[in-house]
């Protein structure tokens, strides 16, 4: 039996489709801009949907914040079992809402993210009552462990962001409170590896499923974190003459940055072509300042920054024009 062609059955035109048309036709820029505005750029209806989810997310976040302030204001007036009972009841109630209520999947995921935040509040309340510490690494570690199933099952971008923040915080606090033999560059290498693994996981999942990465903003956040820690670790190693960590982070950086540039050229991600050269410029400047140690080195760094930034901008403009108009 054949299905009737309804409006919902019509294929949607994607950015890549318009690029293919541009490369194989003689369309003028005015026609291209019109097609982009009609088919690609967000309309007022799409902005309304965005605001709907934004306000819902803000509502969940403010609700969790109000619960935190409730405990802070009434801390001395509540018995310890009442404190734990209230927050446990809220965690159970919110979790049951996501399971039992027949609501939109996105709404369920946002509510589940709120439940994950409440788990952190539960551990914080427990830590304050029994003085186990609300800023200890094991507090964040337990928080990570107890929401892991929710994170992997829901596969919600905001929940993944919370999860990676907790993992990074756990590792940093472990370095501060327990791992006395770790150097700071080693910490940066570990955090760089953790965030890089998250990026690789997102790209690999999209490749296996033969789709584009859905939450590109989340990938960019992980990329910024990875590049930040790589750059910070490199500068610290150079300035402190910690050569073992310097060799490791240099190798990791060269490999990951090369793969990042290749990925950017294949997927046409201008973001990586901007942020990776910026990191390289900062690293080279740190080498010049550390090993020249002369007044002329400051002047050399200034000229190098101007020349490299200018070259990077022209390169970005070239690729942007090429990818947008096929020229």
């Amino acid at each position: 039996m054949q299905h009737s062609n309804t409006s919902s059955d019509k294929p949607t035109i994607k950015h890549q489709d318009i690029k293919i048309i541009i490369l194989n036709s003689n369309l003028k820029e005015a026609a291209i801009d019109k097609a982009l505005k009609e088919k690609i750029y967000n309309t007022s209806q799409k902005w309304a949907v965005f605001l709907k989810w934004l306000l819902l997310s803000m509502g969940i976040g403010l609700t969790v914040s109000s619960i935190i302030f409730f405990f802070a204001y009434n801390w001395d007036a509540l018995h310890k079992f009442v404190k734990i009972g209230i927050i446990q009841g809220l965690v159970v109630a919110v979790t049951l809402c996501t399971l039992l209520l027949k609501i939109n999947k996105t709404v369920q995921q946002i509510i589940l993210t709120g439940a994950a935040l409440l788990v952190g509040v539960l551990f914080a309340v427990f830590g304050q009552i029994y003085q186990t510490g609300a800023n200890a690494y094991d507090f964040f570690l337990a928080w990570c462990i107890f929401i892991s199933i929710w994170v992997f099952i829901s596969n919600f971008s905001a929940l993944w962001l919370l999860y990676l923040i907790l993992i990074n915080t756990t590792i940093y606090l472990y370095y501060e409170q327990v791992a006395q033999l770790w150097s700071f560059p080693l910490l940066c290498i570990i955090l760089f590896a953790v965030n890089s693994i998250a990026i690789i996981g997102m790209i690999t999942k999209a490749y296996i499923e033969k789709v584009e990465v859905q939450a590109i903003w989340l990938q960019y956040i992980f990329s910024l974190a990875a590049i930040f820690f790589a750059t910070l670790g490199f500068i610290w190693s150079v300035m402190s003459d910690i050569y073992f960590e310097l060799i490791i982070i240099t190798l990791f950086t060269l490999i990951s940055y090369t793969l990042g540039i290749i990925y950017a050229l294949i997927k046409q991600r201008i973001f990586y072509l901007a942020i990776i050269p910026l990191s390289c410029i900062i690293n080279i400047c740190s080498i010049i300042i550390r090993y020249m140690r002369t007044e002329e080195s400051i002047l050399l760094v200034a000229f190098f920054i101007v020349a490299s930034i200018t070259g990077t901008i022209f390169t970005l403009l070239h690729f942007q024009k090429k990818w947008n108009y096929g020229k």
Side-chain angles (χ1 to χ4, degrees):
M1 182 176 65
Q2 294 181 346
H3 296 280
S4 60
N5 288 330
T6 61
S7 58
S8 60
D9 296 327
K10 295 180 180 179
T12 57
I13 298 177
K14 299 180 180 179
H15 206 161
Q16 189 64 32
D17 299 328
I18 293 182
K19 290 179 181 178
I20 294 173
I21 295 173
I22 293 170
L23 292 172
N24 297 277
S25 68
N26 57 354
L27 286 177
K28 296 182 180 180
E29 292 189 10
I32 296 170
D33 290 336
K34 182 180 179 181
L36 289 171
K37 289 178 181 178
E38 291 179 353
K39 302 296 182 181
I40 303 300
Y41 297 157
N42 290 329
T43 62
S44 58
Q45 183 179 3
K46 291 181 179 179
W47 277 110
V49 173
F50 168 76
L51 290 175
K52 170 186 173 183
W53 296 124
L54 176 64
L55 292 175
L56 178 60
S57 302
M58 290 178 63
I60 297 294
L62 290 173
T63 302
V64 174
S65 300
S66 66
I67 294 170
I68 295 173
F69 281 109
F70 168 79
F71 281 106
Y73 186 80
N74 299 283
W75 187 260
D76 294 332
L78 297 174
H79 190 271
K80 60 182 180 181
F81 294 119
V82 175
K83 297 172 186 175
I84 295 178
I86 290 174
I87 191 62
Q88 282 183 335
L90 286 172
V91 171
V92 172
V94 173
T95 306
L96 288 177
C97 284
T98 62
L99 295 174
L100 302 179
L101 296 181
K102 295 181 179 180
I103 52 180
N104 184 281
K105 182 180 178 181
T106 304
V107 177
Q108 287 181 325
Q109 291 172 329
I110 294 174
I111 295 175
L112 189 62
T113 303
L117 292 172
L118 288 175
V119 171
V121 177
L122 172 61
F123 281 116
V125 170
F126 182 86
Q128 289 297 322
I129 292 175
Y130 296 101
Q131 297 300 312
T132 59
N135 60 344
Y137 84 93
D138 49 0
F139 159 67
F140 290 94
L141 178 61
W143 192 353
C144 285
I145 293 172
F146 278 85
I147 67 171
S148 294
I149 295 178
W150 293 351
V151 173
F152 287 100
I153 291 178
S154 67
N155 196 27
F156 186 48
S157 301
L159 200 51
W160 272 110
L161 178 60
L162 173 64
Y163 194 63
L164 263 293
I165 291 174
L166 293 176
I167 291 176
N168 281 268
T169 305
T170 301
I171 295 172
Y172 177 77
L173 291 176
Y174 182 81
Y175 157 77
E176 271 200 338
Q177 300 168 1
V178 179
Q180 304 297 329
L181 297 179
W182 287 12
S183 64
F184 185 75
L186 179 59
L187 170 68
C188 291
I189 292 171
I190 295 172
L191 294 175
F192 169 60
V194 168
N195 290 279
S196 298
I197 291 171
I199 301 167
I200 294 171
M202 290 186 68
I203 296 174
T204 303
K205 181 176 181 295
Y207 177 77
I208 293 173
E209 296 177 353
K210 296 184 179 354
V211 295
E212 292 292 329
V213 176
Q214 298 300 315
I216 192 65
W217 61 269
L218 184 63
Q219 181 183 336
Y220 286 166
I221 290 176
F222 292 162
S223 301
L224 277 174
I227 291 173
F228 170 77
F229 289 121
T231 306
L232 183 61
F234 184 91
I235 294 173
W236 198 284
S237 300
V238 168
M239 295 300 177
S240 304
D241 294 328
I242 307 177
Y243 294 110
F244 179 72
E245 281 85 347
L246 179 60
I247 293 171
I248 295 176
I249 202 166
T250 301
L251 289 174
F252 282 0
T253 300
L254 287 174
I255 295 171
S256 60
Y257 283 12
T258 302
L259 294 176
I261 293 294
I262 295 173
Y263 174 79
L265 294 175
I266 294 175
K267 293 295 184 178
Q268 300 183 358
R269 307 290 191 202
I270 203 74
F271 172 82
Y272 291 104
L273 296 182
I275 196 67
I276 290 176
L278 178 61
S279 174
C280 294
I281 291 169
I282 295 172
N283 290 343
I284 294 172
C285 289
S286 68
I287 294 173
I288 295 173
I289 293 172
R290 176 66 183 88
Y291 293 109
M292 287 190 65
R293 298 184 181 181
T294 60
E295 295 179 357
E296 290 79 8
S297 64
I298 304 299
L299 184 62
L300 178 61
V301 166
F303 279 120
F304 173 74
I305 291 175
V306 172
S308 56
I309 293 293
T310 303
T312 302
I313 291 173
F314 276 109
T315 303
L316 293 176
L317 290 175
H318 165 73
F319 280 109
Q320 187 71 33
K321 185 176 181 181
K322 178 180 178 182
W323 293 338
N324 284 346
Y325 300 105
K327 297 181 180 179

